[in-house]
């Protein structure tokens, strides 16, 4: 995870050498504006009028007009994954990155804890990564996005103090995101590439109340919003539960366990992963349950797919 120029830059908690934003490590490239040089006014007191004037100038962002700032110099804009894109471009210029993992946590922050916010965030990331990949291929740059998931991640986590429960939650969420936010992100990216729709930026909420925090710490999924991204998750949960039940029934009726073993194993794995969905659809009675609208639409869509399969095959 620390190869090919070092770890990738994703999100908060990253320190940069200031001159990394002005050029490569071997040859320093002067910024377009002398006032933005790394050595400019560094000897002046912070209360000086010159420093305060420059701070107001930078905060207004007017200095970026008609310049390379945000595209070739400084933090790179124009991407839904601007952190990853910036780190990637800096590595292309020759900069190296390293992990800094002190015993005491260096950063504490808030993150989304509801399923809806999670899926909206990862949908935006998936669109940004697709755009990032297309730009990199168009620019003839090498692209490396290592993503260890599933079983190998278990062994990566356990030497580093991870837990089996942590791995289980991680791979379960990869399945949820693969069915929902990644698929929706792909469709939305294709539509925006064709000019059918514009790329939007949905800000995820970081506001958390005490009840939400309590449910999050208990591992309870929040399904209070009737989001379209819940449809494929619910459909997959219902289809695999039905398939698993039919497989077990066939074994008891005909004793063909060997022939159905792999199908039962895969369907059963999805059923176990989908337990929070079943709980939200059937067992939960509070306002955090799966909206009835999502359940009904999922059943209708499954029935339509079933009828279509009968006509096709």
């Amino acid at each position: 995870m620390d190869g090919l120029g070092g770890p990738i830059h994703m999100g908060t908690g990253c320190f940069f050498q200031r001159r990394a934003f002005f050029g490569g490590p071997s040859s320093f490239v002067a910024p377009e504006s002398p006032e933005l040089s790394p050595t400019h006014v560094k000897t002046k007191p912070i209360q000086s009028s010159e420093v305060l004037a420059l701070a107001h100038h930078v905060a207004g962002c007017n200095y970026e007009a008609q310049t390379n700032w945000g595209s070739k110099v400084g933090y790179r804009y124009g991407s839904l994954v601007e952190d990853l894109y910036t780190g990637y471009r800096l590595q292309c210029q020759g900069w190296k990155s390293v992990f800094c993992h002190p015993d005491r946590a260096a950063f504490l922050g808030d993150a989304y804890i509801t399923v809806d916010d999670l899926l909206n965030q990862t949908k935006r990331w998936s669109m940004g990564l697709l755009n990032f990949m297309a730009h990199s291929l168009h620019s003839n740059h090498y692209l490396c996005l290592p993503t260890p998931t599933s079983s190998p991640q278990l062994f990566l986590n356990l030497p580093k103090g991870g837990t089996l429960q942590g791995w289980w939650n991680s791979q379960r969420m990869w399945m949820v995101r693969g069915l929902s936010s990644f698929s929706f992100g792909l469709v939305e990216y294709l539509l925006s590439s064709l000019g059918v729709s514009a790329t939007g930026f949905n800000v995820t909420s970081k506001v958390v109340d005490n009840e939400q925090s309590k449910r999050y710490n208990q591992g309870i999924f929040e399904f209070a919003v009737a989001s379209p991204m819940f449809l494929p998750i619910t459909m997959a949960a219902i289809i695999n539960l039905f398939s698993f039940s039919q497989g077990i029934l066939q074994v008891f009726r005909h004793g063909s366990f060997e022939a159905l073993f792999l199908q039962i194993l895969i369907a059963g794995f999805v059923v176990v992963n989908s337990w929070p969905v079943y709980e939200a659809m059937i067992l939960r009675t509070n306002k955090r349950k799966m909206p009835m609208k999502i359940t009904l639409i999922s059943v209708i869509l499954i029935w339509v797919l079933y009828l279509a399969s009968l006509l096709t095959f």
Side-chain angles (χ1 to χ4, degrees):
M1 296 178 69
D2 190 7
L4 298 177
I8 55 178
H9 165 40
M10 290 193 298
T12 317
C14 182
F15 285 102
F16 291 95
Q17 287 193 28
R18 189 179 181 188
R19 73 185 188 95
F21 293 116
F22 298 100
S26 58
S27 60
F28 177 72
V29 179
E32 299 178 16
S33 176
E35 293 84 7
L36 299 174
S37 167
T39 58
H40 185 70
V41 301
K42 72 174 186 178
T43 58
K44 301 289 182 67
I46 195 171
Q47 295 88 355
S48 66
S49 58
E50 188 176 358
V51 173
L52 292 176
L54 181 59
H56 283 285
H57 177 56
V58 174
C61 297
N62 294 325
Y63 67 89
E64 297 181 2
Q66 307 301 319
T67 70
N68 286 325
W69 282 92
S71 58
K72 296 181 180 179
V73 181
Y75 211 82
R76 311 302 161 84
Y77 312 147
S79 172
L80 293 177
V81 286
E82 70 287 340
D83 49 359
L84 182 64
Y85 180 59
T86 299
Y88 169 70
R89 295 299 303 136
L90 293 181
Q91 287 187 343
C92 288
Q93 292 176 353
W95 291 97
K96 304 292 184 182
S97 58
V98 294
F99 279 115
C100 179
H101 188 63
D103 294 333
R104 180 182 178 183
F107 297 95
L108 296 175
D110 293 325
Y112 41 79
I113 63 174
T114 66
V115 179
D116 182 55
D117 285 335
L118 168 70
L119 298 184
N120 276 298
Q121 179 82 301
T122 50
K123 183 188 74 171
R124 186 170 75 236
W125 285 345
S126 65
M127 294 174 61
L129 288 173
L130 288 169
N131 184 267
F132 172 38
M133 180 181 68
H135 176 78
S136 300
L137 294 176
H138 179 73
S139 304
N140 295 321
H141 289 126
Y142 291 104
L143 179 65
C144 180
L145 296 175
T147 308
T149 58
S150 66
S151 298
Q153 192 179 35
L154 171 62
F155 301 102
L156 286 173
N157 287 340
L158 294 179
K160 293 186 175 294
T163 63
L164 186 62
Q165 180 67 34
W167 168 82
W168 175 256
N169 290 334
S170 177
Q171 66 85 31
R172 181 171 61 181
M173 289 312 303
W174 273 106
M175 187 182 74
V176 168
R177 286 179 288 197
L179 287 170
S180 54
S181 53
F182 291 161
S183 301
F184 276 75
L186 174 61
V187 172
E188 197 165 326
Y189 169 76
L190 293 175
L191 292 176
S192 63
S193 300
L194 296 173
V196 178
S197 65
T199 301
F201 189 92
N202 299 320
V203 180
T204 51
S205 174
K206 301 297 190 298
V207 180
V208 180
D209 57 35
N210 293 331
E211 289 298 319
Q212 270 189 338
S213 298
K214 182 180 179 180
R215 287 190 293 269
Y216 174 76
N217 292 328
Q218 293 173 345
I220 299 176
F221 281 44
E222 298 270 351
F223 289 103
V225 181
S227 171
M229 284 191 285
F230 292 163
L231 287 173
I233 304 172
T234 308
M235 291 174 63
I238 296 174
I239 291 173
N240 280 275
L241 180 61
F242 179 79
S243 301
F244 180 75
S245 303
Q246 285 296 308
I248 296 297
L249 188 61
Q250 290 294 323
V251 169
F252 279 109
R253 283 181 177 178
H254 307 291
S256 55
F257 180 74
E258 294 80 6
L260 296 174
F261 171 74
L262 186 59
Q263 292 92 324
I264 292 175
L265 178 65
I266 295 174
F269 182 75
V270 178
V271 167
V272 173
N273 274 279
S274 301
W275 171 252
V277 181
Y278 305 134
E279 183 183 39
M281 285 193 300
I282 303 172
L283 302 179
R284 201 176 297 172
T285 58
N286 56 25
K287 62 180 182 179
R288 299 302 172 184
K289 64 179 295 186
M290 182 72 74
M292 183 59 66
K293 176 181 177 181
I294 297 296
T295 303
L296 291 177
I297 295 176
S298 299
V299 172
I300 293 172
L301 291 176
I302 291 171
W303 184 249
V304 170
L305 289 175
Y306 174 70
L307 294 178
S309 65
L310 291 180
L311 295 174
T312 304
F313 301 105

